[in-house]
Amino acid sequence: KHKDFALGNYAFSKNGRASYDEIKEMPPYEEFVESGEELYNEKFANGKTFANCFPNPAIGGDYPYFDEKKQEVVTLGSAINQCLKDNGEKPWKMTKGKMAHLQAFFSYSTLDEEKPVNIKINSQAASEAYERGKEYYYSQRGYLKLSCATCHVQGAAQRVRNESLSQLLGHTTHFPVYRLKWGAKDKNSDGLGTLERRMAGCIKDQGQNPPKANSKTMKELLYFMAYMS
């Protein structure tokens, strides 16, 4: 079913879906959502909170968007860091830690309100940003000569070793994500990561250097992916 694609490869992997449903009975990530809610309500040094920047936390499906004034793509991570800077606070790392926790709270708030993905292309400049993201997604790079599309369009639903390859449709809807791999291999990680973190790891697996998490290239890549969902 169309809406099942929001679950990634669990849309077609029976074993994966069974494991997903089982882990939801006692989710290992609940504490991170609660931590994100605490961060949302925690006061900055000036007395304000993230609620001043994001009055309604159910914004998971509204990012990334194209800012017509700045003429650039704004991701949720960059918006969070801009809020911190505007309030005299230091920006956070884009891939994990507090950033992932707050985004998890935003995502769960969006899920609770049943708000769908709402990404728009309203101008020529926005369309060009989308096209650059699309070009990156479909371009073969690195010594393996792979692209994102190699696995997630042409190879969707196939297997690589023990991994089921997920599909482009719905890719951005279920982040941040909790991965046992991240918690086991990275002593500085609690297993939760943002979409930027996952994309960087995937691009490394293709045999190439990933763009920086807050770079124009990464933002436009995520804009393309989000619009496709």
Side-chain angles (χ1 to χ4, degrees), residues 52-105:
N52 292 100
C53 299
F54 311 104
N56 181 0
I59 55 175
D62 300 332
Y63 287 83
Y65 71 90
F66 189 83
D67 189 314
E68 298 294 347
K69 290 183 179 180
K70 295 181 179 179
Q71 289 289 287
E72 64 180 25
V73 173
V74 176
T75 61
L76 182 54
S78 61
I80 289 171
N81 273 343
Q82 188 61 53
C83 179
L84 288 166
K85 292 176 184 176
D86 291 345
N87 286 281
E89 303 289 329
K90 292 182 179 180
W92 294 341
K93 185 178 178 66
M94 290 283 288
T95 55
K96 55 187 176 181
K98 290 181 179 180
M99 178 64 76
H101 292 188
L102 182 59
Q103 288 192 27
F105 170 62

Side-chain angles (χ1 to χ4, degrees), residues 34-68:
E34 294 170 0
S35 171
E37 184 173 10
E38 291 174 3
L39 290 168
Y40 179 73
N41 294 307
E42 188 176 290
K43 289 185 177 180
F44 302 134
N46 64 6
K48 294 184 178 181
T49 69
F50 279 110
N52 292 100
C53 299
F54 311 104
N56 181 0
I59 55 175
D62 300 332
Y63 287 83
Y65 71 90
F66 189 83
D67 189 314
E68 298 294 347

Side-chain angles (χ1 to χ4, degrees), residues 4-5 8-15 156-158 164-167:
D4 286 348
F5 283 88
N9 64 3
Y10 300 152
F12 52 77
S13 171
K14 291 182 179 180
N15 290 336
Q158 297 181 32
S164 296
L165 297 175
S166 55
Q167 68 290 328

Side-chain angles (χ1 to χ4, degrees), residues 7 16 28 31-32 42 47-48 58-59 120-121 128 132 146 150 156 161 175 187 197 225 229:
L7 298 173
E31 62 179 296
F32 307 136
E42 188 176 290
K48 294 184 178 181
I59 55 175
K120 305 292 185 182
I121 296 178
E128 290 170 358
R132 286 191 294 270
L146 297 173
T150 305
R161 297 187 297 276
F175 282 84
K187 64 180 181 180
R197 183 180 183 182
M225 294 172 64
S229 292

Side-chain angles (χ1 to χ4, degrees), residues 5-228:
F5 283 88
L7 298 173
N9 64 3
Y10 300 152
F12 52 77
S13 171
K14 291 182 179 180
N15 290 336
R17 182 64 180 269
S19 297
Y20 172 74
D21 290 337
E22 184 177 340
I23 201 171
K24 281 204 303 181
E25 294 179 8
M26 295 186 67
Y29 49 78
E30 273 188 335
E31 62 179 296
F32 307 136
V33 178
E34 294 170 0
S35 171
E37 184 173 10
E38 291 174 3
L39 290 168
Y40 179 73
N41 294 307
E42 188 176 290
K43 289 185 177 180
F44 302 134
N46 64 6
K48 294 184 178 181
T49 69
F50 279 110
N52 292 100
C53 299
F54 311 104
N56 181 0
I59 55 175
D62 300 332
Y63 287 83
Y65 71 90
F66 189 83
D67 189 314
E68 298 294 347
K69 290 183 179 180
K70 295 181 179 179
Q71 289 289 287
E72 64 180 25
V73 173
V74 176
T75 61
L76 182 54
S78 61
I80 289 171
N81 273 343
Q82 188 61 53
C83 179
L84 288 166
K85 292 176 184 176
D86 291 345
N87 286 281
E89 303 289 329
K90 292 182 179 180
W92 294 341
K93 185 178 178 66
M94 290 283 288
T95 55
K96 55 187 176 181
K98 290 181 179 180
M99 178 64 76
H101 292 188
L102 182 59
Q103 288 192 27
F105 170 62
F106 286 154
S107 293
Y108 257 75
S109 299
T110 305
L111 183 65
D112 286 342
E113 291 195 14
E114 298 183 347
K115 291 179 65 176
V117 175
N118 185 36
I119 310 301
K120 305 292 185 182
I121 296 178
N122 292 321
S123 68
Q124 180 62 33
S127 178
E128 290 170 358
Y130 164 89
E131 290 295 338
R132 286 191 294 270
K134 178 180 179 180
E135 181 179 8
Y136 188 98
Y137 195 90
Y138 281 91
S139 294
Q140 293 175 310
R141 292 182 175 83
Y143 64 89
L144 295 175
K145 297 299 181 185
L146 297 173
S147 70
C148 303
T150 305
C151 291
H152 302 294
V153 177
Q154 292 95 342
Q158 297 181 32
R159 297 183 69 84
V160 174
R161 297 187 297 276
N162 197 39
E163 295 288 338
S164 296
L165 297 175
S166 55
Q167 68 290 328
L168 169 59
L169 177 60
H171 247 171
T172 62
T173 63
H174 43 280
F175 282 84
V177 293
Y178 175 81
R179 302 184 78 209
L180 292 171
K181 176 181 177 180
W182 285 341
K185 289 190 174 183
D186 186 349
K187 64 180 181 180
N188 296 316
S189 174
D190 51 29
L192 197 70
T194 63
L195 181 57
E196 287 89 344
R197 183 180 183 182
R198 185 70 192 98
M199 291 306 299
C202 196
I203 292 169
K204 284 181 182 178
D205 289 344
Q206 295 173 16
Q208 58 175 303
N209 292 320
K212 299 293 184 182
N214 202 36
S215 67
K216 178 181 178 180
T217 300
M218 179 65 82
K219 289 178 179 180
E220 291 180 346
L221 172 61
L222 302 190
Y223 184 52
F224 161 72
M225 294 172 64
Y227 185 80
M228 293 300 291

